Amino acid sequence: MEKTLSIIKPDGVSRGLIGEVIRRFEKNDIRVIAMKMVWMTKKQAKGFYAVHEKRPFFESLTDFMSSGPAVVMVLEADNAISKNRELMGATNFEEAEEGTIRRDFATDIEKNVVHGSDSPETAAFEISYFFNAFEIAG
Ligand code: GDP
């Protein structure tokens, strides 16, 4: 079993998509084994997205991620990382497959509803950014 970090971003929370996103995970045999709502500070958002520090969209992205509450979750499944990325769809919703979360709900390249770790290394960093071992079931 593999673990990955998922975030329902502030646009997803404010638009009432928490239930819909979790329903898609559960329908696809992905288990939620830890979950909380967080309102990141600008500094916390910058720390989370530190790999993108040099990108032109870094300021805008970290403003967005600290603009309201988000739901962070640890997901568990066989191949959880790629399975979650498949359900999410491409970063740019216009290029995302039909039926993916981003294709169905994203409104622009930045406000794309969900985040998912993209490798075992980033999953380990991202899970430990939000959760300690006692907060993760299973
Ligand atoms: P992800 O792994 O699919 O989330 O994509 P990336 O790691 O490449 O980018 C992280 C996040 O930055 C994306 O989910 C978007 O919210 C945002 N983002 C990516 N590319 C762009 C861009 O070209 N412009 C803006 N404004 N935001 C972007």
Side-chain angles (χ1 to χ4, degrees), residues 23-91:
R23 188 186 67 80
R24 289 181 184 214
F25 293 153
E26 293 184 327
K27 222 176 94 182
N28 286 280
D29 296 321
I30 296 177
R31 277 202 326 131
V32 178
I33 59 167
M35 172 160 65
K36 61 184 156 194
M37 184 172 271
V38 297
W39 189 329
M40 276 184 263
T41 62
K42 174 82 173 171
K43 195 175 166 189
Q44 287 166 335
K46 282 181 160 178
F48 180 73
Y49 274 124
V51 290
H52 292 317
E53 208 166 13
K54 299 277 184 295
R55 302 278 196 98
F57 56 83
F58 184 65
E59 276 306 313
S60 169
L61 173 62
T62 51
D63 278 346
F64 163 54
M65 291 300 286
S66 57
S67 67
V71 171
V72 293
M73 288 170 277
V74 180
L75 307 180
E76 186 175 67
D78 287 329
N79 303 312
I81 295 170
S82 59
K83 213 166 170 182
N84 180 40
R85 299 281 310 183
E86 235 168 76
L87 292 179
M88 287 162 56
T91 310

